[in-house]
Amino acid sequence: MSLPGADLAPFADRRRRVLDWMRSQGGGVAVLAAGVAPARNRDSEYPFRPDSDFYYLTGFTEPEAWLVLIAGAQDRAILFCRERHPEHEIWEGRRFGPEAAGAHFLMDDAHPVSALDELVPAWLLDQPTLWLRLTDESSGVRARGWLSQAHSRVRNGVQAPGRLEDLSGVLAAMRLVKDPSEIATMRQAARISAHAHARAMRAVRPGMHEYELEAELMYEFRRHGAQAVAYGTIVAGGANACVLHYPAGDAVLRDGDLVLIDAGCELDCYASDITRTFPVNGTFSGPQRALYDLTVAAQEAAAAVTRPGASFNDAHDAALRVLAQGMLDERLLQGSLDGVIESGAYSRFYMHRTGHWLGLDVHDVGDYRGPARAAGEARPWRTLEAGMMLTIEPGIYVRAADDVPARFWDIGIRTEDDALVTDTGCELITRAVPVSAREIEALMRE
């Protein structure tokens, strides 16, 4: 992986905020692991990508690294990483080594990762709490060993941590609101992904395979500096678009069908997430256009209510009312709008929610609900704040069935953009690729 930009101050500031929080809880030690390169098969590995929380606090991209934060009379941020090794570097590439890494990444200290199990138990002595991400199995295994060593020294008059706490909650809350450096990276990822979708619109022809269109996306991602895809790319032609997580396959894109592409690049660990649906032959049919315009109208309604002070669920409710009314208007459903919504009848054609958090993970961390106002009450939806990033992605999926108008059979449509909550509303940062049917047709004629 490439390193983050020259300004590493945001990573140091995030570490300081975590240390401040740890002191407010009485102090202690926090440990995070970068992870290891996973095996693909036999002696081949998948490309390494650091754990998101670890990267958020360090910017360091080598495997087998660890971050230790000590909150107390003197706060310390300590990096453990691999030592320089000439033979390994011939095969695998240059390593920082502890001395250079500590200085470059603004750490208070750095050590070889081989010293981790020796040094951490000593730092736990007379500390009240050890913080880990309790879902990280590798950290949990190491922590049991550290705590065992620390407790073995209690008879010498020192204390070992009496609490083992989860660090995930405070990191998730921090990551929900993006800082300026994160927003800048996500804007660039959004631009790259938008240009890739526009390239696919220009390139598509009847008779292409889905994987050929995927190749156009991958080329554009890498050509502009993205290191990877943010998630498994969806390229779904015709009826395949009614399968929500359909991977790009070897199906042929046919004249008269729509193709749905859900694809986003990952840039410096930050995800983008765009979906566009467009006609393989460059022109929407009447039924396709009716459902497509309905989906775009639902997205516009959702974006209009996405602003500070609104609840996370407001966008979903707004999109759902537009989609449900459209299903009634097109005779996909019968009854009243309120009845269709209350009964859930709409879910036959719209079975997912309208968005999710976005950031270092494509489905980013952060609770969608706030704390209950009183015991026994349901938890309210989280209130949006400026700096939050989420997707807005309504869709409609009509499978062939005897009780469905034949003109709509096998039409699957989704329109998705990345929304930055601003001081006054939201900005759709992925609109460098068109969304209206008229603009898409114009682009495809180029």
Side-chain angles (χ1 to χ4, degrees):
M1 288 195 59
S2 63
L3 294 170
D7 184 10
L8 290 161
F11 297 94
D13 180 66
R14 294 168 201 156
R15 295 195 294 272
R16 180 194 57 76
R17 290 166 60 194
V18 174
L19 285 162
D20 288 345
W21 176 83
M22 290 168 63
R23 275 201 316 279
S24 75
Q25 305 299 306
V29 177
V31 183
L32 284 169
V36 298
R40 182 181 184 274
N41 62 304
R42 199 176 179 189
D43 59 350
S44 179
E45 296 174 342
Y46 285 105
F48 177 72
R49 191 250 196 217
D51 171 81
S52 294
D53 284 332
F54 177 88
Y55 180 84
Y56 180 71
L57 296 179
T58 66
F60 192 66
T61 58
E62 290 185 18
E64 302 174 39
W66 294 72
L67 174 68
V68 177
L69 299 175
I70 305 175
Q74 182 179 4
D75 292 342
R76 297 173 67 199
I78 304 160
L79 181 69
F80 287 83
C81 65
R82 301 176 302 180
E83 294 186 86
R84 298 293 307 277
H85 194 297
E87 183 176 350
H88 283 293
E89 291 183 38
I90 289 173
W91 290 91
E92 300 164 1
R94 184 180 180 276
R95 299 176 178 184
F96 261 93
E99 183 177 352
H104 184 86
F105 291 92
L106 309 180
M107 298 289 171
D108 297 304
D109 203 355
H111 297 280
V113 69
S114 58
L116 182 74
D117 292 330
E118 174 189 351
L119 294 176
V120 171
W123 295 338
L124 293 178
L125 300 178
D126 290 330
Q127 292 285 0
T129 307
L130 172 59
W131 274 285
L132 305 168
R133 286 185 322 158
L134 297 181
T135 56
D136 183 350
E137 185 176 342
S138 63
S139 295
V141 170
R142 301 292 279 270
R144 286 193 288 273
W146 300 332
L147 288 171
S148 177
Q149 290 187 52
H151 280 285
S152 71
R153 303 183 191 184
V154 169
R155 60 181 177 270
N156 296 327
V158 295
Q159 297 297 314
R163 293 186 299 159
L164 183 64
E165 298 286 348
D166 194 358
L167 192 64
S168 301
V170 66
L171 291 176
M174 286 177 58
R175 285 172 53 185
L176 259 182
V177 179
K178 274 55 181 178
D179 63 36
S181 68
E182 293 179 284
I183 292 170
T185 300
M186 294 187 73
R187 285 187 183 279
Q188 179 62 7
R191 283 191 288 270
I192 294 171
S193 294
H195 290 316
H197 279 259
R199 180 185 182 91
M201 289 178 182
R202 294 187 180 100
V204 69
R205 297 289 185 275
M208 288 182 73
H209 294 88
E210 292 165 339
Y211 61 75
E212 293 180 79
L213 211 51
E214 181 187 25
E216 299 286 344
L217 297 159
M218 300 302 104
Y219 171 76
E220 200 72 9
F221 289 169
R222 293 296 287 143
R223 189 166 77 96
H224 291 287
Q227 295 92 355
V229 294
Y231 51 94
T233 298
I234 298 168
V235 180
N240 294 336
C242 295
V243 179
L244 298 183
H245 288 169
Y246 175 88
D250 60 1
V252 173
L253 301 174
R254 300 180 305 177
D255 192 355
D257 280 349
L258 297 178
V259 58
L260 184 155
I261 295 180
D262 189 337
C265 74
E266 182 177 276
L267 178 68
D268 295 341
C269 289
Y270 283 87
S272 58
D273 190 0
I274 303 177
T275 307
R276 290 293 186 266
T277 309
F278 50 93
V280 173
N281 63 13
T283 303
F284 288 93
S285 70
Q288 290 170 349
R289 179 69 181 266
L291 296 188
Y292 186 85
D293 288 348
L294 171 62
T295 307
V296 172
Q299 190 190 42
E300 291 172 348
V305 299
T306 300
R307 59 180 180 269
S311 89
F312 176 83
N313 200 53
D314 287 348
H316 178 69
D317 286 343
L320 180 56
R321 293 192 71 83
V322 173
L323 289 170
Q325 184 60 59
M327 294 172 195
L328 291 167
D329 295 342
E330 297 296 342
R331 302 291 190 269
L332 289 169
L333 295 174
Q334 305 294 323
S336 67
L337 177 59
D338 288 342
V340 163
I341 292 176
E342 290 172 7
S343 68
Y346 66 86
S347 63
R348 178 180 180 185
F349 305 110
Y350 180 49
M351 61 292 293
H352 60 80
R353 296 194 59 80
T354 305
H356 54 78
W357 303 130
L358 185 69
L360 283 165
D361 299 297
V362 68
H363 292 107
D364 209 25
V365 293
D367 205 331
Y368 291 99
R369 292 183 180 271
R373 296 187 178 96
E377 287 189 3
R379 296 169 61 200
W381 291 99
R382 184 181 286 274
T383 300
L384 298 181
E385 303 174 38
M388 289 180 170
M389 194 81 73
L390 63 153
T391 65
I392 301 178
E393 50 176 307
I396 189 166
Y397 314 91
V398 186
R399 294 166 180 77
D402 292 341
D403 59 343
V404 171
R407 64 185 181 278
F408 295 129
W409 283 4
D410 296 332
I411 293 178
I413 297 169
R414 184 164 61 253
T415 298
E416 178 180 18
D417 283 293
D418 302 344
L420 170 65
V421 182
T422 65
D423 291 335
T424 57
C426 78
E427 177 189 355
L428 302 181
I429 65 172
T430 42
R431 283 296 179 89
V433 58
V435 68
S436 77
R438 177 182 58 80
E439 291 176 336
I440 287 174
E441 289 179 341
L443 178 67
M444 295 182 72
R445 286 194 295 269
E446 292 182 4

